[in-house]
Amino acid sequence: MGVLKKFEQRLEGLVNGTFAKVFKSEVQPVEIAGALQRECDNNATIWNRDRTVVPNDFIVELSTPDFERLSPYSGQLGDELAGMVRDYAKQQRYTFMGPIKVHLEKAEDLDTGLYRVRSRTLASSSGQTPGAPGGAPPAGRPGGYGYPPAGAAGAPPMPAAPPPGGGYGYPQPAGGQRPPAAPPGGG
């Protein structure tokens, strides 16, 4: 994560925390929705030029009063927030490794109006292919990611160890010997 992004997060936490403490306002679902969007943006992982994976399992920690106020609606609110995350991800062209879930939890160390969002990326345990609508595998890619599932009939075996003398895809000199390092100074 870049220095600017860390600074932005600290500043946001300071401002939000200060206002929440001064005005003792309750957490509103729209605030949580914005936090979930930021969580996706901050934890996006680029897999290739066509695929950016974001977390799909979110835990929103709330103060005791906020949790007690929102917990009767936690199932419906979680579904609504998951739908919002799905819509946002579609706009940003993000993909998920499994179904999207949003859970509310009580955190004793938070004051009214304060919340925390934790997230993680969980792979689908069912037959869903990540990122595919409705769980159907993308056309032409029966195992997802362009490979058949590990251990599937006809799948090539995984190598036990990397090839000797490997160097990030660059060709290696004959005999596996590396040339001596260039002297400093670009001579």
Side-chain angles (χ1 to χ4, degrees):
M1 185 181 308
V3 173
L4 187 58
K5 184 62 82 177
K6 286 182 183 177
F7 173 74
E8 181 182 312
Q9 286 178 335
R10 280 198 316 260
L11 185 61
E12 179 184 345
L14 179 66
V15 170
N16 288 342
T18 301
F19 279 108
K21 284 180 183 176
V22 170
F23 296 108
K24 292 287 185 194
S25 62
E26 299 173 327
V27 171
Q28 299 301 319
V30 69
E31 294 176 87
I32 297 171
L36 293 173
Q37 290 176 351
R38 286 188 301 278
E39 190 74 8
C40 286
D41 292 338
N42 293 340
N43 293 293
T45 303
I46 299 171
W47 283 50
N48 61 42
R49 68 181 187 146
D50 296 325
R51 186 176 172 106
T52 301
V53 176
V54 293
N56 61 320
D57 189 62
F58 301 90
I59 296 173
V60 179
E61 295 180 350
L62 301 166
S63 67
T64 301
D66 287 322
F67 180 79
E68 287 173 0
R69 182 175 54 87
L70 295 175
S71 65
Y73 317 104
S74 64
Q76 183 179 0
L77 182 58
D79 292 345
E80 290 289 327
L81 290 169
M84 182 279 315
V85 169
R86 187 177 300 103
D87 293 344
Y88 179 72
K90 187 175 182 180
Q91 291 172 1
Q92 301 300 317
R93 301 184 68 200
Y94 293 153
T95 57
F96 302 98
M97 298 294 287
I100 305 164
K101 295 181 183 172
V102 179
H103 309 278
L104 302 181
E105 285 186 2
K106 182 173 24 175
E108 302 291 335
D109 63 327
L110 293 175
D111 291 329
T112 301
L114 297 178
Y115 58 90
R116 263 190 306 258
V117 176
R118 295 180 306 172
S119 65
R120 59 186 176 174
T121 302
L122 292 177
S124 175
S125 60
S126 67
Q128 279 190 324
T129 296
R141 298 193 306 173
Y145 306 109
Y147 299 100
M158 295 296 291
Y168 299 101
Y170 294 105
Q172 300 298 311
Q177 298 296 318
R178 295 178 188 234

